[in-house]
Amino acid sequence: MEQNHKPAKEQFDDNSIKTLEWNEHIQRRPEMYIGQLGEGFDPKDGIYAMLDGVLVMAVDEFQMGFGKGFSVEVKNDYAVVRDYGRGIPLESVVSATSGISVGIGANPKEVTVHPVKVTNALSIDFYVASYRDGECSWAKYSKGNLLEKGIEKTTEDNGTYIKFVPDPEVFADYAFREGIVKEILHSIARQNKGLSISLNGTIVPDSF
């Protein structure tokens, strides 16, 4: 005689609800945000998408009429971008580089993650400093987690400084290739006449 077996009831309680922090979702599915991972041999590799996430802030400043250029430094394991725009508002340095953003205007309910925040979440070390009118607001992160922050006096020209080291647990055996970065910056210079860009101390021309 067949017996009817009722399926065991799954327990549904507070422990069943899992909420990811903004940076955890990026770390679990980085390809959704930066495409392929790679080791830095291909311009489409993720470390260059991370660099672009920082460059977009510098280019935006130029396109809005603030700052005439920016400098980039790359070594094997890190990249630095220093622009000379207005600088991030001092009290907004943390919110501008971490967390999610809620849209305004036509899509006020749209939730997005700015590219620079993706770079932060996928970096083992991420440092940002904003210089505005004699003051510097800075923050240090690891994998998107805020470690330290502060505001202090400075003699630096206005603008923003960002240094990041991609997370080696995400990007195994990676290295920034100066030639690839130069091509990326050349493309930006070509599309933004009048924008001055330097790479490792050398001006990148807008034409070859």
Side-chain angles (χ1 to χ4, degrees), residues 73-88:
E73 177 187 354
V74 292
K75 298 299 182 184
N76 284 341
D77 63 340
Y78 73 84
V80 175
V81 178
R82 169 67 158 102
D83 74 49
Y84 296 88
R86 294 166 293 178
I88 302 168

PDB file of all heavy atoms in Angstrom, residues 73-88:
ATOM      1  N   GLU A  73      49.564  57.405 -13.218  1.00  0.00           N
ATOM      2  CA  GLU A  73      50.766  56.616 -12.940  1.00  0.00           C
ATOM      3  C   GLU A  73      50.345  55.161 -12.831  1.00  0.00           C
ATOM      4  O   GLU A  73      49.386  54.844 -12.125  1.00  0.00           O
ATOM      5  CB  GLU A  73      51.431  57.069 -11.638  1.00  0.00           C
ATOM      6  CG  GLU A  73      52.654  56.240 -11.261  1.00  0.00           C
ATOM      7  CD  GLU A  73      53.209  56.581  -9.884  1.00  0.00           C
ATOM      8  OE1 GLU A  73      52.712  57.548  -9.263  1.00  0.00           O
ATOM      9  OE2 GLU A  73      54.120  55.867  -9.424  1.00  0.00           O
ATOM     10  N   VAL A  74      51.026  54.282 -13.534  1.00  0.00           N
ATOM     11  CA  VAL A  74      50.766  52.854 -13.396  1.00  0.00           C
ATOM     12  C   VAL A  74      52.075  52.113 -13.174  1.00  0.00           C
ATOM     13  O   VAL A  74      53.091  52.423 -13.792  1.00  0.00           O
ATOM     14  CB  VAL A  74      50.025  52.251 -14.619  1.00  0.00           C
ATOM     15  CG1 VAL A  74      48.621  52.777 -14.725  1.00  0.00           C
ATOM     16  CG2 VAL A  74      50.788  52.493 -15.910  1.00  0.00           C
ATOM     17  N   LYS A  75      52.042  51.162 -12.277  1.00  0.00           N
ATOM     18  CA  LYS A  75      53.113  50.198 -12.086  1.00  0.00           C
ATOM     19  C   LYS A  75      52.473  48.824 -12.265  1.00  0.00           C
ATOM     20  O   LYS A  75      51.312  48.708 -12.647  1.00  0.00           O
ATOM     21  CB  LYS A  75      53.743  50.346 -10.703  1.00  0.00           C
ATOM     22  CG  LYS A  75      54.381  51.707 -10.461  1.00  0.00           C
ATOM     23  CD  LYS A  75      55.512  51.995 -11.447  1.00  0.00           C
ATOM     24  CE  LYS A  75      56.175  53.339 -11.175  1.00  0.00           C
ATOM     25  NZ  LYS A  75      57.215  53.673 -12.169  1.00  0.00           N
ATOM     26  N   ASN A  76      53.219  47.781 -12.006  1.00  0.00           N
ATOM     27  CA  ASN A  76      52.661  46.444 -12.205  1.00  0.00           C
ATOM     28  C   ASN A  76      51.355  46.227 -11.462  1.00  0.00           C
ATOM     29  O   ASN A  76      50.380  45.709 -12.013  1.00  0.00           O
ATOM     30  CB  ASN A  76      53.673  45.371 -11.783  1.00  0.00           C
ATOM     31  CG  ASN A  76      54.782  45.191 -12.802  1.00  0.00           C
ATOM     32  OD1 ASN A  76      54.650  45.586 -13.957  1.00  0.00           O
ATOM     33  ND2 ASN A  76      55.889  44.605 -12.374  1.00  0.00           N
ATOM     34  N   ASP A  77      51.327  46.625 -10.184  1.00  0.00           N
ATOM     35  CA  ASP A  77      50.193  46.220  -9.348  1.00  0.00           C
ATOM     36  C   ASP A  77      49.279  47.364  -8.914  1.00  0.00           C
ATOM     37  O   ASP A  77      48.307  47.125  -8.186  1.00  0.00           O
ATOM     38  CB  ASP A  77      50.689  45.494  -8.094  1.00  0.00           C
ATOM     39  CG  ASP A  77      51.546  46.384  -7.194  1.00  0.00           C
ATOM     40  OD1 ASP A  77      52.063  47.411  -7.686  1.00  0.00           O
ATOM     41  OD2 ASP A  77      51.696  46.040  -6.005  1.00  0.00           O
ATOM     42  N   TYR A  78      49.533  48.603  -9.341  1.00  0.00           N
ATOM     43  CA  TYR A  78      48.658  49.686  -8.901  1.00  0.00           C
ATOM     44  C   TYR A  78      48.544  50.769  -9.964  1.00  0.00           C
ATOM     45  O   TYR A  78      49.332  50.845 -10.907  1.00  0.00           O
ATOM     46  CB  TYR A  78      49.141  50.296  -7.578  1.00  0.00           C
ATOM     47  CG  TYR A  78      50.391  51.157  -7.688  1.00  0.00           C
ATOM     48  CD1 TYR A  78      50.309  52.505  -8.060  1.00  0.00           C
ATOM     49  CD2 TYR A  78      51.647  50.632  -7.398  1.00  0.00           C
ATOM     50  CE1 TYR A  78      51.438  53.299  -8.151  1.00  0.00           C
ATOM     51  CE2 TYR A  78      52.783  51.418  -7.482  1.00  0.00           C
ATOM     52  CZ  TYR A  78      52.680  52.752  -7.864  1.00  0.00           C
ATOM     53  OH  TYR A  78      53.799  53.533  -7.948  1.00  0.00           O
ATOM     54  N   ALA A  79      47.532  51.621  -9.768  1.00  0.00           N
ATOM     55  CA  ALA A  79      47.324  52.769 -10.655  1.00  0.00           C
ATOM     56  C   ALA A  79      46.942  53.977  -9.818  1.00  0.00           C
ATOM     57  O   ALA A  79      46.285  53.847  -8.780  1.00  0.00           O
ATOM     58  CB  ALA A  79      46.235  52.476 -11.681  1.00  0.00           C
ATOM     59  N   VAL A  80      47.374  55.155 -10.287  1.00  0.00           N
ATOM     60  CA  VAL A  80      47.071  56.425  -9.619  1.00  0.00           C
ATOM     61  C   VAL A  80      46.515  57.394 -10.660  1.00  0.00           C
ATOM     62  O   VAL A  80      47.053  57.493 -11.762  1.00  0.00           O
ATOM     63  CB  VAL A  80      48.324  57.043  -8.974  1.00  0.00           C
ATOM     64  CG1 VAL A  80      48.001  58.421  -8.398  1.00  0.00           C
ATOM     65  CG2 VAL A  80      48.901  56.129  -7.910  1.00  0.00           C
ATOM     66  N   VAL A  81      45.450  58.094 -10.297  1.00  0.00           N
ATOM     67  CA  VAL A  81      44.907  59.151 -11.146  1.00  0.00           C
ATOM     68  C   VAL A  81      44.794  60.416 -10.300  1.00  0.00           C
ATOM     69  O   VAL A  81      44.194  60.390  -9.224  1.00  0.00           O
ATOM     70  CB  VAL A  81      43.525  58.783 -11.719  1.00  0.00           C
ATOM     71  CG1 VAL A  81      42.969  59.942 -12.551  1.00  0.00           C
ATOM     72  CG2 VAL A  81      43.622  57.517 -12.575  1.00  0.00           C
ATOM     73  N   ARG A  82      45.377  61.500 -10.797  1.00  0.00           N
ATOM     74  CA  ARG A  82      45.294  62.798 -10.098  1.00  0.00           C
ATOM     75  C   ARG A  82      44.728  63.817 -11.074  1.00  0.00           C
ATOM     76  O   ARG A  82      45.348  64.133 -12.100  1.00  0.00           O
ATOM     77  CB  ARG A  82      46.688  63.223  -9.631  1.00  0.00           C
ATOM     78  CG  ARG A  82      46.783  64.679  -9.113  1.00  0.00           C
ATOM     79  CD  ARG A  82      45.997  64.880  -7.832  1.00  0.00           C
ATOM     80  NE  ARG A  82      46.479  66.028  -7.079  1.00  0.00           N
ATOM     81  CZ  ARG A  82      45.887  67.228  -7.041  1.00  0.00           C
ATOM     82  NH1 ARG A  82      44.794  67.446  -7.767  1.00  0.00           N
ATOM     83  NH2 ARG A  82      46.401  68.191  -6.297  1.00  0.00           N
ATOM     84  N   ASP A  83      43.530  64.308 -10.795  1.00  0.00           N
ATOM     85  CA  ASP A  83      42.969  65.357 -11.645  1.00  0.00           C
ATOM     86  C   ASP A  83      43.037  66.696 -10.928  1.00  0.00           C
ATOM     87  O   ASP A  83      43.325  66.764  -9.735  1.00  0.00           O
ATOM     88  CB  ASP A  83      41.539  65.021 -12.093  1.00  0.00           C
ATOM     89  CG  ASP A  83      40.509  65.181 -10.976  1.00  0.00           C
ATOM     90  OD1 ASP A  83      40.488  66.231 -10.291  1.00  0.00           O
ATOM     91  OD2 ASP A  83      39.681  64.261 -10.789  1.00  0.00           O
ATOM     92  N   TYR A  84      42.792  67.757 -11.693  1.00  0.00           N
ATOM     93  CA  TYR A  84      42.888  69.108 -11.152  1.00  0.00           C
ATOM     94  C   TYR A  84      41.586  69.863 -11.374  1.00  0.00           C
ATOM     95  O   TYR A  84      41.574  71.034 -11.729  1.00  0.00           O
ATOM     96  CB  TYR A  84      44.088  69.837 -11.778  1.00  0.00           C
ATOM     97  CG  TYR A  84      45.391  69.175 -11.405  1.00  0.00           C
ATOM     98  CD1 TYR A  84      45.912  68.130 -12.180  1.00  0.00           C
ATOM     99  CD2 TYR A  84      46.062  69.546 -10.250  1.00  0.00           C
ATOM    100  CE1 TYR A  84      47.089  67.495 -11.813  1.00  0.00           C
ATOM    101  CE2 TYR A  84      47.245  68.911  -9.871  1.00  0.00           C
ATOM    102  CZ  TYR A  84      47.749  67.892 -10.663  1.00  0.00           C
ATOM    103  OH  TYR A  84      48.908  67.249 -10.284  1.00  0.00           O
ATOM    104  N   GLY A  85      40.480  69.149 -11.116  1.00  0.00           N
ATOM    105  CA  GLY A  85      39.158  69.747 -11.185  1.00  0.00           C
ATOM    106  C   GLY A  85      38.793  70.406  -9.868  1.00  0.00           C
ATOM    107  O   GLY A  85      39.657  70.905  -9.133  1.00  0.00           O
ATOM    108  N   ARG A  86      37.521  70.365  -9.537  1.00  0.00           N
ATOM    109  CA  ARG A  86      37.047  71.017  -8.316  1.00  0.00           C
ATOM    110  C   ARG A  86      37.343  70.223  -7.060  1.00  0.00           C
ATOM    111  O   ARG A  86      37.392  70.766  -5.953  1.00  0.00           O
ATOM    112  CB  ARG A  86      35.527  71.225  -8.416  1.00  0.00           C
ATOM    113  CG  ARG A  86      35.096  72.193  -9.490  1.00  0.00           C
ATOM    114  CD  ARG A  86      33.613  72.084  -9.758  1.00  0.00           C
ATOM    115  NE  ARG A  86      33.282  70.780 -10.357  1.00  0.00           N
ATOM    116  CZ  ARG A  86      32.051  70.397 -10.659  1.00  0.00           C
ATOM    117  NH1 ARG A  86      31.034  71.203 -10.402  1.00  0.00           N
ATOM    118  NH2 ARG A  86      31.840  69.220 -11.213  1.00  0.00           N
ATOM    119  N   GLY A  87      37.554  68.910  -7.206  1.00  0.00           N
ATOM    120  CA  GLY A  87      37.665  68.057  -6.036  1.00  0.00           C
ATOM    121  C   GLY A  87      36.289  67.654  -5.552  1.00  0.00           C
ATOM    122  O   GLY A  87      35.323  68.405  -5.690  1.00  0.00           O
ATOM    123  N   ILE A  88      36.176  66.461  -4.999  1.00  0.00           N
ATOM    124  CA  ILE A  88      34.903  65.996  -4.442  1.00  0.00           C
ATOM    125  C   ILE A  88      34.564  66.869  -3.225  1.00  0.00           C
ATOM    126  O   ILE A  88      35.448  67.192  -2.429  1.00  0.00           O
ATOM    127  CB  ILE A  88      35.015  64.520  -3.998  1.00  0.00           C
ATOM    128  CG1 ILE A  88      35.421  63.633  -5.181  1.00  0.00           C
ATOM    129  CG2 ILE A  88      33.704  64.029  -3.396  1.00  0.00           C
ATOM    130  CD1 ILE A  88      35.821  62.227  -4.779  1.00  0.00           C
TER     131      ILE A  88
END
